[in-house]
Amino acid sequence: MRTCLLRAFVLVLCLVSSSFLIAQTASASVPASASDVQHAPDPDSGMIGHVDGLFIPLVPGAPFHAKIVVHLTRQLPDGATVEQKYYTLAARSSDGRTYREMREPVPADSDLEPALVHTQVYDPKTSLITGCVPDERICRHGTFDPTQHPVDEPAGPSSDGKSVLTRESLGTKTIDGLECSGTRETRTFKVGAFGNDKPLVVIKEIWYSPQLQFNLSVTRLDPRNGTQKLEVTDLKLGDPGEAWFTMPDGFRLVTGRGMQTRPVYPAELEPLIEKDVSGMTPDELKTALDPVEAAIGTYTKVHAQAAPNDRSDEFAGRLRQRLANDLRMLQQNSGPRAAQLQEADLRMNESFRTVVNSPCIDKPAPGDPPNIPTSAEGVRAEQTAWLALRDAWVAFLVKLFPNANPASLSWTLSNERESDLRHLENIERNRGCETEESIEPLLARYVTGLTPDQLDAALKPVDAAIAAYAKAHAAASPNDQSENFSNQLRARFSGELNMLQQNANSNFPKFQLQDADLRMKETFREVSTSPCIDKPQPGDPPNLPTSAEGLRAEQTAWLALRDAWDAFLAQLFPKADPASFGWMMTNERDAELRRLENAERNRGCEIEVSIEPLLVRYVPGLTPGQLDAAVKPVDAAIAAYAKAHADAEPGDLNDNYARMLEQQLASQLQFQQQNPMPSQDNFEEADLHLNQAFRAVINSSCLSKPVPGDPPNAPVSEEKLRAEERAWIAMRDAWTAFMATVYPSANRAALGLNLTQIRTGELEQIRNIERNRGCVPQE
């Protein structure tokens, strides 16, 4: 009896939904030209795994009959591949009637005939659909509107803002003797469009026949469902004959032209899943499903109270259909990884918290969808009932999959619930509310020893700082339309906390912390003083600040965010050095600023680089103004030497040569503070070795004769090497003059000892290059 009910339900559902799945074009006496139509609409399989056939419009004057072959390929998370196939027959008469089929897929390597599930005949003149179920040998009439037809979605962003569609022509080719035009559709779903944590791309390749006005081939590449390829074969032009469109002999007609315009769902879950459950008698299955049915009833009742404007009596039916789909998906796919399970639940909890704390949740507005809860209390009650339903469903699934991780059995449901809650979240935004978001759900699993209220209180300053920084970033970079900026920050903090807990030693040496902070400040100074920062250009990255003022405000907000995050971490790790918490964040911020610095260079600006931030901690006796004045000649000499080096050794493409020199000089100052001062004799001996090495290199007969395989730092001419040496001497003089301001009592010349020794080593390397070229430089 249950089988009969299910088949009748499938028939009704197919008849009713056909006007949506295979919506017909308006009857036309003149076929559209190829220039007017690129392709016929193609049903989207979406995430449900259902594969519709090819759309066939109800147009007269273009009769045919054909076979449509379908190949399905899907890769499971464990790496296994599932390949299936089936075919359907299709036909269209001279007066525009169409015949369609649905068949069950079989394994790709199977010789079995795909079972025929049902057939459909559309008659545009009578507005009747005739659907027949061969297993039951019954047919049913239904009505449809033949003037309704799907409209191709325009290229560009979708109306809900979740995806972007592009189209490109693939030219023309011949299929079964008919000329077809090709189109490639690429739809890119944004992060969070349906719970996805990264962008997802769906591609369709469509080959359309202008003569028949339908697609002869469609290939869909969808990461959610794999590859689906539908092709027309055995195409025969001309009227197929009346037998295609008449009710088969021996079938019983169930009449009823006033059919319902919505799906009819069964009142129990059992008929939907009985074919998918083995090892249970009907009574055992019913008993196992009793708690699930009770939970469905409770959740339906709570939803009706939470959303009193939702008059739909299909809520429970849709729940049952969703659970049935979930069971089929579990049987066809392996479970997700543990990290995915945790993330799904955390994302759902985060979305729930955002919705329930919205200041608009208790303020319904005209135009709200009817299924929207009207109070925070209702949302909480509904969530409690949903969790009970999930528990009941998982308890049932455990009986079917005793070896599975029970948490994995709830993964799909949690993702679907999170999608529902995100829908509510968007509605709150449409009401004009900024929903309150928090990092708390992402961190709850990493924090022990704090109650939920304590954790909430500890994170309020972090949440406020994230919101302030996101606002400052949006003001500084108005072209950055990313809606997930705050979420990305939260995910970054969550990853840092996870890393800190996994490392036994969460403290970093102080000099690393200081270096990270100094590097970041140096990069910020260079970007904020760029002459191009206030001159945006076409082609700039969207996250590029448009003014120095905006960048400074963003940096101030970022520093406040780092302080708030460090203060929170200090509560979790009271014995750790608080400064160590900012190490990772500071390095990440420095990397972001370096990308901005590269963008400034791409604009054509020479960034003003200074050694000052690297020296400030070693020079406590100078004010910032005094230090800035003292290092200006050093900055100029470094820039001149870096330029001369690039001219002398063009193979050395090191973009960070000047930075390397700055680090080298800063290290010398640090070394000098920790060691005795050199003497005049030490310096004179080092200078003598330097001159000897330079003379030996400059007198090489191979210096102006580069050979294949030369190292990138090989000089290319005597003249340019001399210019580089002069620039180096000028840099040494500028550096020793600066060092003399720091150590006024020291021998001025001797302060250049370390720099001289390093340069001598570089010249020795060049002398080895000359030897490898076949020359013996003069000693």
Side-chain angles (χ1 to χ4, degrees):
M1 179 62 182
R2 284 189 293 267
T3 302
C4 295
L5 287 174
L6 178 58
R7 296 213 174 267
F9 160 69
V10 169
L11 174 58
V12 172
L13 177 61
C14 292
L15 290 175
V16 172
S17 60
S18 295
S19 58
F20 300 97
L21 297 177
I22 316 177
Q24 310 303 314
T25 58
S27 298
S29 58
V30 181
S33 67
S35 61
D36 294 329
V37 178
Q38 293 294 319
H39 59 269
D42 177 60
D44 190 354
S45 62
M47 295 182 66
I48 61 174
H50 174 68
V51 182
D52 289 313
L54 296 173
F55 170 80
I56 303 175
L58 300 173
V59 294
F64 73 91
H65 64 279
K67 177 190 285 188
I68 300 174
V69 178
V70 181
H71 288 274
L72 311 174
T73 304
R74 184 176 70 256
Q75 189 166 32
L76 304 184
D78 63 357
T81 299
V82 176
E83 293 189 35
Q84 295 176 302
K85 66 179 181 180
Y86 66 93
Y87 73 86
T88 65
L89 301 180
R92 184 170 60 199
S93 65
S94 297
D95 56 6
R97 288 174 296 166
T98 65
Y99 169 87
R100 298 292 308 274
E101 292 181 347
M102 177 178 285
R103 293 178 182 266
E104 293 281 2
V106 297
D109 58 357
S110 173
D111 294 330
L112 295 175
E113 178 77 2
L116 181 61
V117 178
H118 71 86
T119 65
Q120 289 175 317
V121 173
Y122 291 82
D123 189 337
K125 291 184 177 180
T126 62
S127 300
L128 280 180
I129 310 170
T130 301
C132 300
V133 180
D135 279 359
E136 302 297 329
R137 301 184 72 77
I138 63 170
C139 296
R140 185 184 296 273
H141 282 327
T143 59
F144 75 103
D145 184 353
T147 66
Q148 296 298 311
H149 59 87
V151 178
D152 255 344
E153 182 180 343
S158 61
S159 58
D160 59 8
K162 293 184 178 181
S163 65
V164 177
L165 176 67
T166 62
R167 289 191 179 94
E168 59 180 307
S169 172
L170 299 177
T172 61
K173 71 176 181 181
T174 300
I175 299 178
D176 274 353
L178 299 178
E179 184 178 88
C180 296
S181 59
T183 302
R184 179 181 289 114
E185 287 189 350
T186 303
R187 183 183 296 276
T188 303
F189 289 94
K190 296 181 180 179
V191 172
F194 45 81
N196 49 315
D197 60 357
K198 62 181 66 176
L200 183 140
V201 178
V202 176
I203 299 174
K204 291 182 183 179
E205 291 191 358
I206 301 170
W207 291 94
Y208 170 76
S209 166
Q211 179 178 333
L212 294 180
Q213 297 188 52
F214 81 102
N215 305 319
L216 299 191
S217 175
V218 175
T219 301
R220 307 167 185 157
L221 292 86
D222 189 332
R224 300 166 295 182
N225 290 320
T227 301
Q228 305 169 357
K229 189 167 185 177
L230 301 87
E231 290 185 296
V232 170
T233 63
D234 301 334
L235 177 64
K236 302 291 190 299
L237 302 182
D239 212 305
E242 197 62 25
W244 287 80
F245 309 102
T246 57
M247 190 173 71
D249 292 338
F251 279 59
R252 179 169 54 92
L253 178 64
V254 180
T255 60
R257 304 220 7 198
M259 288 194 61
Q260 300 176 26
T261 58
R262 54 183 173 79
V264 178
Y265 295 100
E268 294 180 348
L269 178 59
E270 185 183 355
L272 287 175
I273 66 171
E274 62 177 354
K275 288 186 9 180
D276 301 309
V277 177
S278 58
M280 285 188 180
T281 66
D283 290 340
E284 289 172 337
L285 178 58
K286 185 179 184 307
T287 301
L289 286 174
D290 281 344
V292 179
E293 290 290 359
I296 290 174
T298 301
Y299 181 38
T300 301
K301 182 178 179 180
V302 171
H303 171 76
Q305 294 170 343
N309 296 320
D310 188 2
R311 306 296 183 186
S312 171
D313 57 358
E314 301 172 356
F315 187 80
R318 288 197 297 268
L319 281 176
R320 294 185 180 98
Q321 189 66 59
R322 182 178 289 187
L323 295 176
N325 291 337
D326 181 40
L327 174 57
R328 295 187 188 100
M329 187 176 295
L330 285 170
Q331 289 177 325
Q332 296 173 6
N333 296 277
S334 60
R337 297 186 297 273
Q340 290 178 309
L341 301 174
Q342 292 175 325
E343 291 297 339
D345 212 47
L346 287 170
R347 284 197 308 269
M348 180 193 66
N349 290 335
E350 180 181 11
S351 296
F352 170 71
R353 181 191 181 282
T354 301
V355 171
V356 83
N357 289 326
S358 167
C360 292
I361 193 68
D362 295 309
K363 301 173 183 176
D368 282 348
N371 63 333
I372 299 306
T374 56
S375 70
E377 180 184 0
V379 175
R380 291 191 183 95
E382 189 175 26
Q383 182 72 359
T384 300
W386 180 86
L387 290 170
L389 171 60
R390 184 181 68 173
D391 292 344
W393 178 244
V394 170
F396 167 72
L397 292 177
V398 166
K399 298 175 182 179
L400 303 184
F401 307 98
N403 298 323
N405 177 359
S408 69
L409 302 174
S410 67
W411 181 73
T412 301
L413 284 183
S414 295
N415 278 327
E416 291 173 344
R417 178 59 178 166
E418 192 236 346
S419 179
D420 293 340
L421 290 166
R422 284 198 177 273
H423 177 61
L424 298 183
E425 192 176 341
N426 289 333
I427 290 186
E428 293 303 293
R429 290 194 175 94
N430 292 337
R431 286 171 168 176
C433 277
E434 285 296 325
T435 53
E436 180 188 346
E437 298 179 333
S438 176
I439 194 175
E440 181 185 357
L442 291 178
L443 303 187
R445 60 175 159 165
Y446 301 124
V447 179
T448 57
L450 295 180
T451 67
D453 288 341
Q454 290 172 332
L455 179 59
D456 184 67
L459 286 173
K460 280 193 181 300
V462 179
D463 287 332
I466 289 174
Y469 176 48
K471 183 177 180 181
H473 171 76
S477 308
N479 296 319
D480 187 359
Q481 303 296 328
S482 172
E483 298 176 354
N484 292 307
F485 186 80
S486 297
N487 288 336
Q488 291 167 359
L489 285 174
R490 295 185 188 98
R492 187 181 296 178
F493 288 143
S494 175
E496 181 179 1
L497 178 56
N498 184 24
M499 188 206 73
L500 286 171
Q501 290 188 322
Q502 290 178 358
N503 289 276
N505 179 18
S506 59
N507 288 327
F508 296 94
K510 284 187 178 295
F511 75 87
Q512 287 185 340
L513 303 171
Q514 292 172 333
D515 280 345
D517 203 52
L518 288 170
R519 281 197 308 271
M520 180 195 68
K521 290 177 179 177
E522 178 185 12
T523 309
F524 173 72
R525 175 187 177 279
E526 293 167 2
V527 176
S528 62
T529 58
S530 166
C532 293
I533 193 69
D534 295 309
K535 301 173 183 176
Q537 298 177 1
D540 281 346
N543 64 335
L544 198 63
T546 56
S547 71
E549 179 184 4
L551 180 60
R552 291 190 186 95
E554 182 181 8
Q555 183 71 0
T556 300
W558 181 87
L559 290 170
L561 173 58
R562 184 179 65 175
D563 291 344
W565 178 243
D566 289 351
F568 168 71
L569 292 178
Q571 298 179 55
L572 304 185
F573 306 98
K575 297 181 180 180
D577 179 3
S580 67
F581 300 137
W583 181 79
M584 179 181 291
M585 277 189 71
T586 303
N587 278 325
E588 290 173 345
R589 179 61 178 166
D590 178 60
E592 292 168 357
L593 291 168
R594 283 186 185 274
R595 286 194 289 271
L596 299 183
E597 189 175 8
N598 290 332
E600 292 301 294
R601 290 194 173 96
N602 293 336
R603 284 173 166 179
C605 278
E606 285 295 327
I607 303 295
E608 181 185 344
V609 180
S610 177
I611 196 176
E612 179 184 356
L614 293 179
L615 304 184
V616 64
R617 60 175 160 161
Y618 303 123
V619 190
L622 296 180
T623 67
Q626 291 171 331
L627 178 59
D628 186 66
V631 299
K632 279 192 181 300
V634 180
D635 287 337
I638 289 174
Y641 175 52
K643 187 174 185 302
H645 171 78
D647 289 340
E649 300 163 23
D652 188 359
L653 301 177
N654 184 0
D655 292 334
N656 293 310
Y657 190 76
R659 286 188 180 275
M660 183 183 70
L661 291 172
E662 291 169 357
Q663 292 283 354
Q664 195 177 87
L665 295 175
S667 297
Q668 288 184 35
L669 178 56
Q670 181 188 16
F671 175 83
Q672 194 59 71
Q673 288 182 328
Q674 299 171 355
N675 293 277
M677 289 290 174
S679 66
Q680 178 71 24
D681 291 341
N682 296 144
F683 172 73
E684 289 178 353
E685 182 179 359
D687 199 51
L688 176 63
H689 289 312
L690 170 74
N691 292 330
Q692 289 174 337
F694 178 73
R695 186 173 67 248
V697 172
I698 208 72
N699 288 331
S700 168
S701 58
C702 295
L703 189 61
S704 302
K705 301 174 183 177
V707 297
D710 279 348
N713 63 332
V716 294
S717 74
E718 176 185 340
E719 177 187 2
K720 292 182 177 180
L721 183 59
R722 290 184 185 279
E724 181 185 9
E725 187 71 6
R726 287 192 295 271
W728 178 86
I729 292 173
M731 184 182 73
R732 182 179 67 177
D733 293 345
W735 177 246
T736 54
F738 167 74
M739 292 283 281
T741 64
V742 181
Y743 304 103
S745 302
N747 183 305
R748 178 168 179 153
L751 294 172
L753 172 65
N754 289 337
L755 202 57
T756 301
Q757 291 172 333
I758 292 172
R759 178 59 179 169
T760 302
E762 293 171 353
L763 291 169
E764 291 288 352
Q765 289 178 351
I766 294 175
R767 182 155 60 170
N768 289 334
I769 292 171
E770 295 304 294
R771 288 193 178 98
N772 292 336
R773 285 173 168 176
C775 286
V776 180
Q778 180 179 348
E779 299 291 342

